Amino acid sequence: MKKTIITIMIVIVSMATFAQKEPGTLTIYPRVGMTLSKFSGSKIAEGFENGTKWYHSSFKPGFTAGAEFQYQLDQVFAISCGALYSQQGEQFKDIPDCATIKSTHDDIITPVCVLITPKQGFLSFRVGLQPEMKVKGNSYLYRPLTMSIPLGISYEYKNFCLDLRYNHGIINVNKDTSYGKENSNFNRTIMLTLGYGIEL
């Protein structure tokens, strides 16, 4: 997984050419892509009678689509906001005598970010806050609203925008917190999308 992400980032850097938007430009970016998500610290136990063995969750693939608005403040800074449907959750694999266990946690995510494009650079970097509203998943286990910090890098060429983003959850997704840290699970999602910029 890490090798795949590093390879994608190397490809983005190698393709990059200098391009910046004029201050005051408002652009909408419809986006579509894929997600890889799991919950940090999530695990399940197997074999209570002969000694307990714990299995940790692994990344679950999913789909994402939506749109974001971007307003260019000056040659370096821009702000963006939007809404995307994001299939998230987790899965447990390689448990003996058990099929893959998947957990669904589909959200409407609303990232609000600051973008930085260095004057002598060709990539944009983003950071912000992202409220996440659950629209599909176990209502008894999961909170209806959580929050993540999106960190991303993007490359734009002829209005096409390739965006790689990591969403770091900062609010426990579980409703039940009676077990303290043992029941603290935070969303960890990697998003790769392709968008198209339309100036308004």
Side-chain angles (χ1 to χ4, degrees):
M1 185 61 61
K2 291 182 179 179
K3 290 182 179 179
T4 301
I5 295 170
I6 292 172
T7 300
I8 293 172
M9 294 183 70
I10 291 173
V11 170
I12 292 175
V13 172
S14 65
M15 291 170 58
T17 57
F18 181 78
Q20 289 180 318
K21 295 183 180 299
E22 291 297 320
T25 302
L26 179 63
T27 308
I28 183 172
Y29 288 89
R31 298 186 185 278
V32 63
M34 64 169 290
T35 62
L36 293 170
S37 63
K38 69 174 185 177
F39 299 142
S40 69
S42 184
K43 57 186 179 181
I44 57 176
E46 187 267 339
F48 292 98
E49 295 182 358
N50 300 317
T52 302
K53 183 175 181 180
W54 292 94
Y55 293 88
H56 294 268
S57 66
S58 59
F59 282 100
K60 170 180 171 286
F63 168 82
T64 184
E68 291 181 287
F69 290 93
Q70 179 177 317
Y71 181 75
Q72 196 71 31
L73 298 173
D74 56 28
Q75 294 290 345
V76 176
F77 295 97
I79 55 176
S80 70
C81 64
L84 299 94
Y85 183 87
S86 179
Q87 290 182 333
Q88 299 175 175
E90 62 182 350
Q91 64 181 6
F92 294 88
K93 302 192 300 182
D94 302 324
I95 301 176
D97 303 319
C98 184
T100 298
I101 301 173
K102 295 184 179 182
S103 175
T104 298
H105 195 287
D106 293 0
D107 292 4
I108 297 295
I109 61 175
T110 53
V112 179
C113 298
V114 174
L115 288 86
I116 302 173
T117 305
K119 289 184 178 180
Q120 302 303 322
F122 17 74
L123 299 174
S124 293
F125 304 90
R126 76 174 66 226
V127 64
L129 284 176
Q130 179 173 281
E132 302 181 351
M133 182 177 66
K134 182 175 65 64
V135 294
K136 185 178 181 181
N138 193 316
S139 299
Y140 297 100
L141 294 178
Y142 301 133
R143 295 178 187 270
L145 184 66
T146 57
M147 184 81 71
S148 290
I149 296 176
L151 303 168
I153 181 173
S154 60
Y155 163 71
E156 186 169 346
Y157 179 71
K158 292 186 177 179
N159 293 356
F160 286 96
C161 181
L162 185 64
D163 184 276
L164 179 63
R165 208 172 299 187
Y166 170 67
N167 299 325
H168 186 86
I170 56 176
I171 294 180
N172 188 355
V173 299
N174 295 325
K175 281 185 176 181
D176 183 6
T177 58
S178 58
Y179 293 97
K181 292 184 178 180
E182 290 297 323
N183 201 34
S184 293
N185 301 142
F186 298 87
N187 180 44
R188 303 288 187 258
T189 299
I190 299 167
M191 293 176 55
L192 179 65
T193 62
L194 180 64
Y196 187 82
I198 304 171
E199 289 191 9
L200 302 178

